[in-house]
Amino acid sequence: MIAQLKRYGVFAGGSAFGAVVDYIVTLVAVRALGISPETALALAMVFSATAVFFWHEHLTFGSKGQPGLSRRYILFMLWSVVVWGMRAGMLFLFRMAGMPLYAALALAIGIASVVNYILSSRAIFRTTHQR
């Protein structure tokens, strides 16, 4: 349990980096490009997902050097599409409930992070020493 909490802390650090990129790029794209927040979030996640993958590969899960890098990367990028769907759905619902964009975006990113960790640690970055 303690090891999982520590690992989640490192995971959260990488996710926080990605979330900052997602947050800033989304808000700027909405204002500068006039696109919907959900579309802007998808654009932001294209950039952040690869950076976050390598954070997790090297720091969070220590998978570097383990076989299956391409498989993990593809799974992570596919999972990122699902994460975007969760975030975009929550963002839409929170905005419909009257939350300001900045608060709705922060809450959607935060909630999705917990779900992201659970799947990432159990399926995507699961290495032989974790089984």
Side-chain angles (χ1 to χ4, degrees), residues 11-103:
F11 182 90
S15 293
F17 168 73
V20 168
V21 171
D22 293 341
Y23 192 81
I24 291 169
V25 172
T26 299
L27 292 177
V28 169
V30 166
R31 289 195 174 92
L33 302 176
I35 58 179
S36 76
E38 296 79 13
T39 302
L41 180 59
L43 176 67
M45 288 182 69
V46 168
F47 298 106
S48 67
T50 295
V52 171
F53 170 81
F54 285 103
W55 174 289
H56 295 328
E57 180 74 10
H58 293 276
L59 301 174
T60 306
F61 299 104
S63 306
K64 181 182 176 191
Q66 295 286 326
L69 173 68
S70 297
R71 178 187 164 280
R72 287 189 302 277
Y73 180 73
I74 291 167
L75 285 173
F76 188 79
M77 296 309 281
L78 290 172
W79 175 239
S80 293
V81 173
V82 175
V83 170
W84 169 80
M86 285 188 297
R87 288 177 174 181
M90 287 185 281
L91 179 59
F92 177 79
L93 292 174
F94 295 153
R95 290 179 59 235
M96 292 300 292
M99 288 181 81
L101 175 59
Y102 67 89

Coordinates of all heavy atoms in Angstrom, one line a residue, residues 11-103:
F11 N 3.7 9.3 -10.2 CA 2.7 9.4 -11.3 C 2.0 10.7 -11.4 O 1.9 11.3 -12.4 CB 1.7 8.2 -11.1 CG 0.7 8.2 -12.3 CD1 0.9 7.4 -13.4 CD2 -0.5 8.9 -12.2 CE1 0.0 7.3 -14.4 CE2 -1.5 8.8 -13.2 CZ -1.2 8.0 -14.3
A12 N 1.6 11.2 -10.2 CA 0.9 12.5 -10.1 C 1.8 13.6 -10.6 O 1.4 14.6 -11.2 CB 0.4 12.7 -8.7
G13 N 3.1 13.5 -10.3 CA 4.1 14.5 -10.8 C 4.1 14.6 -12.3 O 4.1 15.7 -12.9
G14 N 4.2 13.4 -12.9 CA 4.2 13.4 -14.4 C 2.8 13.9 -14.9 O 2.8 14.6 -15.9
S15 N 1.8 13.4 -14.3 CA 0.5 13.8 -14.7 C 0.3 15.3 -14.5 O -0.4 16.0 -15.3 CB -0.6 13.0 -14.0 OG -0.5 11.7 -14.4
A16 N 0.8 15.9 -13.4 CA 0.7 17.3 -13.2 C 1.4 18.1 -14.3 O 0.9 19.1 -14.7 CB 1.3 17.6 -11.8
F17 N 2.6 17.6 -14.7 CA 3.2 18.3 -15.8 C 2.3 18.3 -17.0 O 2.1 19.3 -17.7 CB 4.6 17.6 -16.1 CG 5.2 18.0 -17.4 CD1 5.7 19.3 -17.6 CD2 5.1 17.2 -18.6 CE1 6.3 19.7 -18.8 CE2 5.6 17.6 -19.8 CZ 6.2 18.8 -19.9
G18 N 1.8 17.1 -17.4 CA 0.9 17.0 -18.5 C -0.4 17.8 -18.3 O -0.9 18.5 -19.3
A19 N -0.9 17.9 -17.1 CA -2.1 18.6 -16.8 C -1.9 20.1 -17.0 O -2.7 20.9 -17.5 CB -2.6 18.4 -15.4
V20 N -0.7 20.6 -16.6 CA -0.3 22.0 -16.8 C -0.3 22.4 -18.3 O -0.9 23.4 -18.7 CB 1.0 22.4 -16.1 CG1 1.5 23.7 -16.5 CG2 0.8 22.3 -14.6
V21 N 0.3 21.5 -19.1 CA 0.3 21.7 -20.5 C -1.1 21.7 -21.0 O -1.5 22.6 -21.8 CB 1.2 20.6 -21.2 CG1 1.0 20.7 -22.7 CG2 2.6 20.7 -20.8
D22 N -1.9 20.7 -20.6 CA -3.3 20.6 -21.1 C -4.1 21.8 -20.7 O -4.8 22.4 -21.5 CB -4.0 19.4 -20.5 CG -3.4 18.1 -21.0 OD1 -2.7 18.1 -22.1 OD2 -3.6 17.0 -20.4
Y23 N -3.9 22.3 -19.5 CA -4.7 23.4 -18.9 C -4.3 24.7 -19.7 O -5.2 25.4 -20.2 CB -4.4 23.6 -17.4 CG -5.3 24.5 -16.7 CD1 -6.5 24.0 -16.2 CD2 -4.9 25.8 -16.4 CE1 -7.3 24.9 -15.5 CE2 -5.7 26.6 -15.7 CZ -6.9 26.2 -15.3 OH -7.8 27.0 -14.6
I24 N -3.1 25.0 -19.8 CA -2.6 26.2 -20.5 C -3.0 26.2 -22.0 O -3.6 27.2 -22.5 CB -1.1 26.5 -20.3 CG1 -0.9 26.8 -18.8 CG2 -0.6 27.6 -21.2 CD1 0.6 26.8 -18.4
V25 N -2.6 25.1 -22.7 CA -2.9 25.1 -24.1 C -4.4 25.1 -24.4 O -4.9 25.8 -25.3 CB -2.3 23.8 -24.7 CG1 -2.7 23.6 -26.2 CG2 -0.8 23.9 -24.7
T26 N -5.2 24.5 -23.5 CA -6.7 24.5 -23.7 C -7.2 25.9 -23.6 O -8.0 26.4 -24.4 CB -7.4 23.5 -22.7 OG1 -6.9 22.2 -22.9 CG2 -8.9 23.6 -22.9
L27 N -6.8 26.6 -22.5 CA -7.4 27.9 -22.3 C -6.9 28.9 -23.4 O -7.7 29.7 -23.9 CB -6.9 28.4 -20.9 CG -7.6 27.7 -19.7 CD1 -7.0 28.3 -18.4 CD2 -9.1 27.8 -19.7
V28 N -5.6 28.8 -23.8 CA -5.1 29.7 -24.8 C -5.8 29.4 -26.1 O -6.2 30.3 -26.9 CB -3.6 29.5 -24.9 CG1 -3.1 30.2 -26.2 CG2 -2.9 30.1 -23.7
A29 N -6.0 28.1 -26.5 CA -6.6 27.7 -27.8 C -8.1 28.2 -27.8 O -8.5 28.6 -28.9 CB -6.5 26.2 -28.0
V30 N -8.8 28.1 -26.7 CA -10.2 28.5 -26.7 C -10.2 30.0 -27.0 O -11.0 30.4 -27.8 CB -10.8 28.2 -25.3 CG1 -12.1 28.9 -25.1 CG2 -11.1 26.7 -25.2
R31 N -9.4 30.7 -26.3 CA -9.4 32.2 -26.5 C -8.8 32.6 -27.8 O -9.4 33.5 -28.5 CB -8.7 32.9 -25.3 CG -9.5 32.7 -24.1 CD -9.1 33.7 -23.0 NE -10.0 33.6 -21.8 CZ -9.8 32.8 -20.8 NH1 -8.8 32.0 -20.7 NH2 -10.7 32.8 -19.8
A32 N -7.7 32.1 -28.2 CA -7.0 32.5 -29.4 C -7.6 32.0 -30.7 O -7.6 32.7 -31.7 CB -5.5 32.1 -29.3
L33 N -8.0 30.7 -30.7 CA -8.5 30.1 -31.9 C -10.0 30.0 -31.9 O -10.6 29.7 -33.0 CB -8.0 28.6 -32.0 CG -6.4 28.5 -32.0 CD1 -6.0 27.0 -32.0 CD2 -5.9 29.3 -33.2
G34 N -10.7 30.3 -30.8 CA -12.1 30.3 -30.8 C -12.8 28.9 -31.0 O -13.9 28.8 -31.4
I35 N -12.0 27.9 -30.6 CA -12.6 26.5 -30.7 C -13.2 26.1 -29.4 O -12.9 26.7 -28.3 CB -11.5 25.5 -31.2 CG1 -10.3 25.5 -30.2 CG2 -11.0 25.8 -32.6 CD1 -9.2 24.5 -30.6
S36 N -13.9 25.0 -29.4 CA -14.6 24.6 -28.2 C -13.6 24.1 -27.2 O -12.5 23.6 -27.6 CB -15.6 23.4 -28.5 OG -14.9 22.2 -28.7
P37 N -13.9 24.2 -25.9 CA -12.9 23.7 -24.9 C -12.6 22.2 -25.1 O -11.4 21.8 -24.8 CB -13.6 23.9 -23.6 CG -14.5 25.1 -23.8 CD -15.0 24.9 -25.3
E38 N -13.5 21.4 -25.4 CA -13.3 19.9 -25.6 C -12.3 19.7 -26.8 O -11.4 18.8 -26.7 CB -14.6 19.2 -25.8 CG -15.6 19.3 -24.7 CD -16.4 20.6 -24.5 OE1 -16.4 21.4 -25.5 OE2 -17.0 20.8 -23.5
T39 N -12.5 20.4 -27.9 CA -11.6 20.3 -29.0 C -10.2 20.8 -28.6 O -9.1 20.2 -29.0 CB -12.1 21.0 -30.2 OG1 -13.4 20.5 -30.5 CG2 -11.2 20.9 -31.4
A40 N -10.1 21.9 -27.9 CA -8.9 22.5 -27.5 C -8.1 21.5 -26.6 O -6.9 21.4 -26.6 CB -9.1 23.8 -26.8
L41 N -8.9 20.8 -25.7 CA -8.3 19.9 -24.8 C -7.7 18.7 -25.6 O -6.6 18.2 -25.2 CB -9.3 19.4 -23.8 CG -8.9 18.3 -22.8 CD1 -7.7 18.9 -21.9 CD2 -10.0 17.9 -21.9
A42 N -8.4 18.3 -26.6 CA -7.8 17.2 -27.5 C -6.5 17.6 -28.1 O -5.5 16.9 -28.1 CB -8.8 16.8 -28.5
L43 N -6.5 18.8 -28.6 CA -5.2 19.4 -29.2 C -4.1 19.4 -28.2 O -3.0 19.0 -28.5 CB -5.5 20.8 -29.7 CG -4.3 21.6 -30.3 CD1 -3.8 20.9 -31.6 CD2 -4.7 23.0 -30.6
A44 N -4.4 19.9 -27.0 CA -3.4 19.9 -25.9 C -2.9 18.5 -25.6 O -1.7 18.3 -25.4 CB -4.0 20.6 -24.7
M45 N -3.8 17.6 -25.5 CA -3.4 16.2 -25.1 C -2.5 15.5 -26.1 O -1.7 14.6 -25.8 CB -4.6 15.4 -24.8 CG -5.3 15.8 -23.5 SD -6.7 14.8 -23.0 CE -5.9 13.2 -22.7
V46 N -2.5 15.9 -27.4 CA -1.6 15.4 -28.4 C -0.2 15.7 -28.0 O 0.7 14.8 -28.1 CB -1.9 16.0 -29.8 CG1 -0.8 15.6 -30.8 CG2 -3.3 15.5 -30.3
F47 N 0.1 16.8 -27.5 CA 1.4 17.2 -27.1 C 1.8 16.6 -25.7 O 2.9 16.1 -25.6 CB 1.6 18.8 -27.0 CG 1.3 19.4 -28.4 CD1 0.2 20.1 -28.6 CD2 2.3 19.3 -29.4 CE1 0.0 20.7 -29.9 CE2 2.1 19.9 -30.6 CZ 1.0 20.6 -30.8
S48 N 0.9 16.7 -24.8 CA 1.3 16.3 -23.4 C 1.4 14.8 -23.3 O 2.2 14.3 -22.5 CB 0.3 16.8 -22.4 OG -1.0 16.3 -22.6
A49 N 0.6 14.0 -24.0 CA 0.6 12.5 -23.8 C 1.9 11.9 -24.0 O 2.3 11.0 -23.3 CB -0.5 11.9 -24.7
T50 N 2.6 12.3 -25.1 CA 3.9 11.7 -25.4 C 4.9 12.1 -24.3 O 5.7 11.2 -23.8 CB 4.4 12.1 -26.7 OG1 3.6 11.6 -27.7 CG2 5.8 11.6 -27.0
A51 N 4.9 13.3 -23.8 CA 5.9 13.7 -22.8 C 5.6 12.9 -21.5 O 6.5 12.5 -20.8 CB 5.8 15.2 -22.5
V52 N 4.3 12.8 -21.2 CA 3.9 12.1 -19.9 C 4.2 10.6 -20.0 O 4.7 10.0 -19.1 CB 2.4 12.3 -19.6 CG1 1.9 11.4 -18.5 CG2 2.2 13.8 -19.3
F53 N 4.1 10.0 -21.2 CA 4.4 8.6 -21.4 C 5.9 8.4 -21.0 O 6.2 7.5 -20.3 CB 4.2 8.2 -22.9 CG 4.8 6.8 -23.1 CD1 4.1 5.7 -22.8 CD2 6.1 6.7 -23.7 CE1 4.7 4.4 -23.0 CE2 6.6 5.4 -23.9 CZ 5.9 4.3 -23.5
F54 N 6.8 9.2 -21.5 CA 8.2 9.0 -21.2 C 8.5 9.3 -19.7 O 9.4 8.7 -19.2 CB 9.1 9.8 -22.2 CG 9.1 9.1 -23.5 CD1 8.4 9.7 -24.6 CD2 9.8 8.0 -23.7 CE1 8.4 9.0 -25.8 CE2 9.9 7.3 -24.9 CZ 9.1 7.9 -26.0
W55 N 7.8 10.2 -19.1 CA 8.0 10.4 -17.7 C 7.6 9.1 -16.9 O 8.4 8.6 -16.1 CB 7.0 11.5 -17.2 CG 7.0 11.7 -15.7 CD1 6.4 10.9 -14.8 CD2 7.5 12.9 -15.0 NE1 6.5 11.5 -13.5 CE2 7.2 12.6 -13.6 CE3 8.2 14.0 -15.4 CZ2 7.6 13.6 -12.6 CZ3 8.5 14.9 -14.4 CH2 8.2 14.7 -13.0
H56 N 6.5 8.5 -17.3 CA 6.1 7.3 -16.6 C 7.0 6.1 -17.0 O 7.3 5.3 -16.1 CB 4.6 7.0 -17.0 CG 3.6 7.9 -16.5 ND1 3.8 8.7 -15.3 CD2 2.4 8.3 -17.0 CE1 2.7 9.4 -15.1 NE2 1.9 9.3 -16.1
E57 N 7.4 6.1 -18.2 CA 8.3 5.0 -18.6 C 9.6 5.0 -17.8 O 10.1 4.0 -17.4 CB 8.6 5.2 -20.1 CG 9.5 4.1 -20.7 CD 8.8 2.8 -20.9 OE1 7.6 2.6 -20.8 OE2 9.6 1.8 -21.2
H58 N 10.2 6.2 -17.6 CA 11.5 6.3 -17.0 C 11.4 6.5 -15.5 O 12.2 5.9 -14.7 CB 12.2 7.5 -17.6 CG 12.6 7.3 -19.0 ND1 13.8 6.6 -19.4 CD2 12.0 7.6 -20.1 CE1 13.8 6.5 -20.7 NE2 12.8 7.2 -21.2
L59 N 10.4 7.2 -15.0 CA 10.4 7.6 -13.6 C 9.4 6.8 -12.7 O 9.7 6.3 -11.7 CB 10.2 9.1 -13.4 CG 11.3 10.0 -14.0 CD1 10.9 11.4 -13.9 CD2 12.6 9.8 -13.4
T60 N 8.1 6.8 -13.2 CA 7.0 6.3 -12.4 C 7.1 4.8 -12.3 O 7.1 4.2 -11.2 CB 5.7 6.7 -13.0 OG1 5.6 8.1 -13.2 CG2 4.5 6.2 -12.1
F61 N 7.2 4.1 -13.4 CA 7.1 2.6 -13.4 C 8.5 1.9 -13.7 O 8.5 0.7 -13.6 CB 6.1 2.2 -14.4 CG 4.7 2.7 -14.1 CD1 4.2 3.8 -14.9 CD2 4.0 2.2 -13.1 CE1 2.9 4.3 -14.5 CE2 2.7 2.7 -12.8 CZ 2.2 3.7 -13.5
G62 N 9.5 2.7 -14.0 CA 10.8 2.1 -14.2 C 10.8 1.0 -15.3 O 11.5 0.0 -15.2
S63 N 10.0 1.3 -16.4 CA 9.9 0.3 -17.4 C 11.0 0.4 -18.5 O 11.1 -0.4 -19.4 CB 8.5 0.5 -18.2 OG 7.5 0.4 -17.2
K64 N 11.8 1.4 -18.4 CA 12.9 1.6 -19.3 C 13.7 0.4 -19.4 O 14.1 -0.2 -18.4 CB 13.7 2.8 -18.9 CG 14.9 3.1 -19.9 CD 15.7 4.3 -19.4 CE 16.9 4.5 -20.4 NZ 17.8 5.4 -19.9
G65 N 14.0 -0.1 -20.6 CA 14.8 -1.2 -20.8 C 14.0 -2.5 -20.8 O 14.5 -3.6 -21.2
Q66 N 12.8 -2.5 -20.4 CA 11.9 -3.7 -20.4 C 11.4 -3.9 -21.8 O 11.2 -2.9 -22.6 CB 10.7 -3.5 -19.5 CG 11.0 -3.4 -18.0 CD 11.4 -4.7 -17.4 OE1 10.9 -5.7 -17.8 NE2 12.4 -4.7 -16.5
P67 N 11.2 -5.1 -22.2 CA 10.6 -5.4 -23.6 C 9.2 -4.8 -23.7 O 8.5 -4.6 -22.7 CB 10.6 -6.9 -23.7 CG 11.1 -7.4 -22.4 CD 11.5 -6.3 -21.5
G68 N 8.9 -4.4 -24.9 CA 7.5 -3.9 -25.2 C 7.3 -2.4 -25.1 O 6.2 -2.0 -25.0
L69 N 8.4 -1.7 -25.4 CA 8.2 -0.2 -25.4 C 7.2 0.2 -26.4 O 6.3 1.0 -26.0 CB 9.6 0.5 -25.7 CG 9.5 2.0 -25.9 CD1 9.2 2.7 -24.6 CD2 10.8 2.5 -26.5
S70 N 7.2 -0.3 -27.6 CA 6.2 0.1 -28.6 C 4.8 -0.2 -28.2 O 3.9 0.6 -28.4 CB 6.6 -0.5 -30.0 OG 7.8 -0.1 -30.4
R71 N 4.6 -1.4 -27.6 CA 3.3 -1.8 -27.2 C 2.8 -0.9 -26.1 O 1.7 -0.4 -26.1 CB 3.4 -3.2 -26.7 CG 2.1 -3.8 -26.1 CD 2.2 -5.1 -25.5 NE 1.1 -5.5 -24.6 CZ 0.9 -5.0 -23.4 NH1 1.7 -4.2 -22.8 NH2 -0.2 -5.3 -22.7
R72 N 3.7 -0.6 -25.1 CA 3.3 0.3 -24.0 C 2.9 1.7 -24.6 O 1.9 2.3 -24.1 CB 4.3 0.4 -23.0 CG 4.5 -0.8 -22.1 CD 5.4 -0.6 -20.9 NE 6.8 -0.2 -21.3 CZ 7.7 -1.1 -21.6 NH1 7.5 -2.4 -21.7 NH2 8.9 -0.6 -21.9
Y73 N 3.7 2.2 -25.5 CA 3.5 3.5 -26.1 C 2.1 3.6 -26.8 O 1.3 4.5 -26.6 CB 4.6 4.0 -27.0 CG 4.4 5.3 -27.6 CD1 4.5 6.5 -26.9 CD2 4.0 5.5 -29.0 CE1 4.3 7.7 -27.4 CE2 3.8 6.7 -29.5 CZ 4.0 7.8 -28.7 OH 3.7 9.1 -29.3
I74 N 1.9 2.6 -27.7 CA 0.6 2.5 -28.4 C -0.6 2.4 -27.4 O -1.6 3.1 -27.6 CB 0.6 1.4 -29.4 CG1 1.6 1.7 -30.5 CG2 -0.8 1.1 -30.0 CD1 2.0 0.5 -31.4
L75 N -0.5 1.5 -26.4 CA -1.5 1.4 -25.5 C -1.8 2.7 -24.7 O -2.9 3.1 -24.5 CB -1.2 0.3 -24.4 CG -1.4 -1.1 -24.9 CD1 -0.9 -2.1 -23.9 CD2 -2.8 -1.4 -25.3
F76 N -0.7 3.4 -24.3 CA -0.8 4.7 -23.6 C -1.5 5.7 -24.5 O -2.4 6.5 -24.0 CB 0.6 5.1 -23.1 CG 0.5 6.3 -22.2 CD1 0.2 6.2 -20.9 CD2 0.7 7.6 -22.7 CE1 0.1 7.2 -20.0 CE2 0.6 8.7 -21.8 CZ 0.3 8.5 -20.5
M77 N -1.1 5.8 -25.7 CA -1.7 6.8 -26.6 C -3.2 6.5 -26.9 O -4.0 7.4 -26.9 CB -0.9 6.9 -27.9 CG 0.5 7.4 -27.7 SD 0.6 8.9 -26.8 CE 0.2 10.1 -28.0
L78 N -3.5 5.2 -27.0 CA -4.9 4.8 -27.2 C -5.7 5.1 -25.9 O -6.8 5.6 -25.9 CB -5.1 3.3 -27.5 CG -4.6 2.9 -28.9 CD1 -4.6 1.4 -29.1 CD2 -5.5 3.6 -30.0
W79 N -5.1 4.8 -24.8 CA -5.7 5.1 -23.5 C -5.9 6.6 -23.3 O -6.9 7.1 -22.8 CB -4.9 4.5 -22.3 CG -5.4 4.9 -21.0 CD1 -4.7 5.5 -20.0 CD2 -6.7 4.6 -20.4 NE1 -5.5 5.7 -18.9 CE2 -6.7 5.2 -19.1 CE3 -7.8 4.0 -20.9 CZ2 -7.8 5.1 -18.3 CZ3 -9.0 3.9 -20.1 CH2 -8.9 4.5 -18.8
S80 N -5.0 7.4 -23.9 CA -5.1 8.9 -23.8 C -6.3 9.4 -24.5 O -6.9 10.4 -24.1 CB -3.8 9.5 -24.4 OG -2.7 9.3 -23.6
V81 N -6.8 8.7 -25.5 CA -8.0 9.0 -26.2 C -9.2 8.8 -25.3 O -10.1 9.6 -25.2 CB -8.2 8.2 -27.5 CG1 -9.5 8.5 -28.1 CG2 -7.1 8.6 -28.5
V82 N -9.2 7.7 -24.5 CA -10.2 7.4 -23.6 C -10.2 8.5 -22.4 O -11.2 9.0 -22.0 CB -10.1 6.0 -23.0 CG1 -11.1 5.7 -21.9 CG2 -10.2 5.0 -24.1
V83 N -9.0 8.8 -22.0 CA -8.8 9.8 -20.9 C -9.4 11.2 -21.4 O -10.1 11.9 -20.7 CB -7.4 10.0 -20.5 CG1 -7.2 11.2 -19.6 CG2 -6.9 8.7 -19.8
W84 N -9.1 11.5 -22.7 CA -9.7 12.7 -23.3 C -11.2 12.6 -23.2 O -11.9 13.6 -22.8 CB -9.2 12.9 -24.7 CG -10.0 14.0 -25.3 CD1 -9.8 15.4 -25.2 CD2 -11.2 13.9 -26.1 NE1 -10.8 16.1 -25.8 CE2 -11.7 15.2 -26.4 CE3 -11.9 12.8 -26.6 CZ2 -12.8 15.4 -27.2 CZ3 -13.0 13.0 -27.4 CH2 -13.5 14.3 -27.7
G85 N -11.8 11.5 -23.6 CA -13.2 11.3 -23.6 C -13.8 11.6 -22.2 O -14.8 12.2 -22.0
M86 N -13.1 11.0 -21.2 CA -13.6 11.2 -19.8 C -13.5 12.7 -19.4 O -14.5 13.3 -18.9 CB -12.7 10.4 -18.8 CG -13.0 8.9 -18.8 SD -12.1 8.1 -17.4 CE -10.4 8.4 -17.9
R87 N -12.4 13.3 -19.7 CA -12.2 14.7 -19.4 C -13.2 15.6 -20.1 O -13.8 16.5 -19.5 CB -10.8 15.2 -19.7 CG -9.7 14.6 -18.8 CD -8.3 15.1 -19.4 NE -7.3 14.7 -18.5 CZ -6.0 15.1 -18.7 NH1 -5.7 15.7 -19.8 NH2 -5.1 14.7 -17.9
A88 N -13.3 15.3 -21.4 CA -14.2 16.2 -22.2 C -15.7 16.0 -21.7 O -16.4 17.0 -21.7 CB -14.1 15.8 -23.7
G89 N -16.1 14.8 -21.4 CA -17.4 14.6 -20.9 C -17.7 15.3 -19.6 O -18.7 15.9 -19.4
M90 N -16.7 15.2 -18.7 CA -16.9 15.9 -17.4 C -16.8 17.4 -17.6 O -17.6 18.1 -17.0 CB -15.7 15.4 -16.4 CG -16.0 14.0 -15.9 SD -14.7 13.6 -14.6 CE -13.3 13.2 -15.6
L91 N -15.9 17.8 -18.5 CA -15.8 19.3 -18.7 C -17.1 19.8 -19.3 O -17.6 20.8 -18.8 CB -14.7 19.5 -19.8 CG -14.4 20.9 -20.2 CD1 -14.0 21.8 -19.0 CD2 -13.3 20.9 -21.2
F92 N -17.7 19.1 -20.2 CA -19.0 19.5 -20.7 C -20.1 19.5 -19.6 O -20.8 20.5 -19.5 CB -19.4 18.5 -21.9 CG -20.8 18.8 -22.4 CD1 -21.0 19.9 -23.3 CD2 -21.9 18.1 -22.0 CE1 -22.2 20.1 -23.9 CE2 -23.2 18.4 -22.6 CZ -23.3 19.4 -23.5
L93 N -20.2 18.5 -18.8 CA -21.2 18.4 -17.8 C -21.0 19.5 -16.7 O -21.9 20.1 -16.3 CB -21.2 17.0 -17.1 CG -21.7 15.9 -18.0 CD1 -21.5 14.5 -17.3 CD2 -23.1 16.1 -18.4
F94 N -19.7 19.7 -16.3 CA -19.4 20.7 -15.3 C -19.8 22.1 -15.8 O -20.3 23.0 -15.1 CB -18.0 20.7 -14.9 CG -17.6 19.4 -14.1 CD1 -16.3 19.0 -14.2 CD2 -18.5 18.6 -13.4 CE1 -15.9 17.8 -13.5 CE2 -18.1 17.5 -12.8 CZ -16.8 17.1 -12.8
R95 N -19.5 22.4 -17.1 CA -19.8 23.7 -17.7 C -21.3 23.8 -17.8 O -21.9 24.9 -17.6 CB -19.1 23.8 -19.0 CG -17.6 24.0 -18.9 CD -16.9 24.1 -20.2 NE -17.3 25.3 -20.9 CZ -17.8 25.2 -22.2 NH1 -17.8 24.1 -22.8 NH2 -18.2 26.3 -22.8
M96 N -22.0 22.7 -18.1 CA -23.5 22.8 -18.2 C -24.1 23.1 -16.8 O -25.2 23.7 -16.7 CB -24.1 21.5 -18.8 CG -23.7 21.3 -20.2 SD -24.4 22.5 -21.4 CE -26.1 22.3 -21.2
A97 N -23.4 22.7 -15.8 CA -23.9 22.9 -14.4 C -23.6 24.3 -14.0 O -23.9 24.7 -12.8 CB -23.3 21.9 -13.5
G98 N -22.9 25.1 -14.8 CA -22.6 26.5 -14.5 C -21.2 26.8 -14.0 O -21.0 27.9 -13.6
M99 N -20.4 25.8 -13.9 CA -19.0 26.0 -13.4 C -18.2 26.9 -14.4 O -18.4 26.7 -15.6 CB -18.2 24.7 -13.2 CG -18.7 23.9 -12.0 SD -17.7 22.4 -11.8 CE -16.3 23.1 -11.0
P100 N -17.4 27.8 -14.0 CA -16.5 28.5 -14.9 C -15.5 27.5 -15.6 O -15.1 26.5 -15.0 CB -15.8 29.5 -14.0 CG -16.2 29.3 -12.6 CD -17.2 28.2 -12.6
L101 N -15.1 27.9 -16.8 CA -14.2 27.0 -17.5 C -13.0 26.6 -16.8 O -12.6 25.4 -16.7 CB -13.8 27.7 -18.9 CG -12.8 26.9 -19.7 CD1 -13.3 25.5 -20.1 CD2 -12.5 27.7 -21.0
Y102 N -12.3 27.5 -16.1 CA -11.0 27.2 -15.4 C -11.2 26.2 -14.3 O -10.4 25.3 -14.1 CB -10.3 28.5 -14.9 CG -11.1 29.2 -13.8 CD1 -10.9 28.9 -12.5 CD2 -12.0 30.2 -14.1 CE1 -11.6 29.5 -11.5 CE2 -12.7 30.8 -13.1 CZ -12.5 30.5 -11.8 OH -13.2 31.1 -10.8
A103 N -12.4 26.3 -13.6 CA -12.6 25.3 -12.5 C -13.1 24.0 -13.1 O -12.7 22.9 -12.6 CB -13.7 25.9 -11.6

